[in-house]
C-alpha cells in the first residue's frame, strides 16, 4: 500500500497551540483528534516523525521581553515541547501506535536522546518518532528544528500544520480578500516576508531542497489526502513559477 503513496516518510510540525483548545494548555479531546489523524496515515504505511512546539505553555521570545535572559527562556521553552511530546505519545499509544520520544537535551528517565541513526531505525520499524526539545540550542525555533530533523532523517516532505488551509499574502482572518497561494517558491516566500516558517528554517529547506506543505490539520482527512498526492494546502518548493 505504501508504494501507492506520494510520500512514504514525512516530518510533521505541529505548533504547541494546536494542542490547546483556546491556544493555551492542553485540550485532551484535541490531542486525541490529532492522534487519530496521524493514525490514518500511519496505517497506510507512512513513516512519521514529528516536532511539536511549546507555545501553548511558554514562548521564549515573549518571556525574554519581560527581562528573563533569552537563552534561559528558550531552554524553558524546550522543556515545554517535551511535555507536549509526552502527552502526544500517550495519545498515539492509546490509538495503538508504537512511538518513541527523542530529546535534543538528554533526560534518560523521560525519553531517548536524539540519535539520528536510531531515529531512522525506529521509522523503518514503523514507530512514530516524536522529536522534542527543539534543536537543543537557544535562539533557534522549533520551525528550524523541524527543518533540521527533516533533512537529517531524509524525510520526503516537511508538513507544517496550521490553523489555516495554506499560505496567504495577508491574514485571511483579518482580510477576506487575502489571496491564497497553491504553490510558491522558497525565495518568493522569503522576499515577500510571508509567515510560512521563520527565515532560518525556510533557508535550510531551500538549501537542501526540502519541500514544505502548509495545511490545516483541523480539516479532517487533509493529512491522508496529502499522502495520496491530492492538492491540499500550499506547496513551497523550488519547482514553481513566480506568483503573479
Amino acid at each position: 500500500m505504501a508504494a501507492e503513496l506520494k510520500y512514504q516518510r514525512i516530518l510533521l510540525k505541529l505548533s504547541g497551540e494546536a494542542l490547546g483548545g483556546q491556544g493555551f494548555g492542553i485540550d485532551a479531546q484535541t490531542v486525541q483528534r490529532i492522534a487519530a489523524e496521524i493514525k490514518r496515515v500511519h496505517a497506510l504505511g507512512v513513516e512519521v516523525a514529528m516536532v511539536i512546539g511549546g507555545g501553548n505553555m511558554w514562548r521564549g521570545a515573549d518571556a525574554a521581553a519581560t527581562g528573563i535572559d533569552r537563552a534561559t527562556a528558550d531552554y524553558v521553552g524546550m522543556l515545554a515541547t517535551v511535555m507536549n511530546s509526552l502527552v502526544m505519545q500517550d495519545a498515539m499509544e492509546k490509538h495503538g501506535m508504537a512511538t518513541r520520544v527523542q530529546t535534543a537535551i538528554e533526560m534518560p528517565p523521560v525519553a531517548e536522546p536524539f540519535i539520528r541513526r536510531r531515529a531512522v531505525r525506529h521509522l523503518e520499524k514503523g514507530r512514530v518518532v516524536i522529536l522534542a526539545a527543539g534543536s537543543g540550542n537557544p535562539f533557534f525555533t522549533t520551525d528550524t528544528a523541524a527543518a533540521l530533523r527533516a533533512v537529517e532523517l531524509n524525510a520526503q516532505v516537511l508538513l507544517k500544520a496550521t490553523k489555516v488551509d495554506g499560505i496567504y499574502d495577508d491574514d485571511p482572518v483579518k482580510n477576506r480578500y487575502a489571496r491564497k497561494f497553491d504553490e510558491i517558491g522558497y525565495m518568493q516566500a522569503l522576499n515577500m516576508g510571508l509567515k510560512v516558517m521563520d527565515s532560518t528554517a525556510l533557508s535550510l529547506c531551500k538549501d537542501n531542497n526540502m519541500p514544505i506543505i502548509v495545511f490545516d490539520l483541523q480539516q479532517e482527512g487533509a493529512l491522508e489526502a496529502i499522502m495520496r498526492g491530492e492538492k491540499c494546502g500550499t506547496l513551497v518548493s523550488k519547482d514553481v513559477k513566480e506568483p503573479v
Side-chain angles (χ1 to χ4, degrees), residues 7 157-161 211-215 226 232-236:
Y7 304 110
V157 65
L158 169 55
L159 302 173
K160 181 170 182 181
I212 307 166
I213 295 178
V214 180
F215 74 106
I226 293 171
C232 190
T234 299
L235 171 66
V236 185

Side-chain angles (χ1 to χ4, degrees), residues 12-15 18 159-164 213-217:
L12 175 62
K13 167 61 169 63
L14 292 177
S15 67
L159 302 173
K160 181 170 182 181
T162 67
K163 297 179 181 179
V164 293
I213 295 178
V214 180
F215 74 106
D216 183 5
L217 189 61

Side-chain angles (χ1 to χ4, degrees), residues 8 22 32 48 57 64 70 73-74 84 104 144 152 156 158-159 165 168 178 210 212 214-215 225 238 243:
Q8 297 183 6
Q22 301 298 322
Q32 291 295 329
V48 181
M57 298 185 185
R70 176 59 191 270
D74 282 353
N84 284 339
T144 298
E152 285 184 297
Q156 294 171 300
L158 169 55
L159 302 173
D165 61 343
Y168 289 77
M210 174 62 62
I212 307 166
V214 180
F215 74 106
K238 69 174 184 179

Side-chain angles (χ1 to χ4, degrees), residues 163-178:
K163 297 179 181 179
V164 293
D165 61 343
I167 300 171
Y168 289 77
D169 60 0
D170 197 5
D171 187 344
V173 176
K174 299 178 181 178
N175 180 6
R176 63 175 179 170
Y177 299 108

Side-chain angles (χ1 to χ4, degrees), residues 80-179:
T81 72
V82 175
M83 290 189 283
N84 284 339
S85 297
L86 294 176
V87 170
M88 182 57 66
Q89 178 185 41
D90 180 77
M92 290 196 293
E93 289 188 340
K94 284 183 169 60
H95 279 80
M97 290 174 278
T99 68
R100 294 291 187 276
V101 174
Q102 292 194 342
T103 58
I105 300 174
E106 291 193 27
M107 45 187 79
V110 175
E112 299 178 359
F114 173 72
I115 299 173
R116 186 186 66 83
R117 292 173 66 91
R118 182 181 291 177
V120 170
R121 187 59 177 155
H122 286 322
L123 293 172
E124 291 172 345
K125 286 181 172 290
R127 298 166 184 148
V128 177
V129 180
I130 307 172
L131 303 158
S135 65
N137 301 291
F139 305 101
F140 289 91
T141 68
T142 50
D143 276 352
T144 298
L148 175 63
R149 299 300 187 226
V151 173
E152 285 184 297
L153 300 179
N154 298 315
Q156 294 171 300
V157 65
L158 169 55
L159 302 173
K160 181 170 182 181
T162 67
K163 297 179 181 179
V164 293
D165 61 343
I167 300 171
Y168 289 77
D169 60 0
D170 197 5
D171 187 344
V173 176
K174 299 178 181 178
N175 180 6
R176 63 175 179 170
Y177 299 108
R179 180 166 61 104

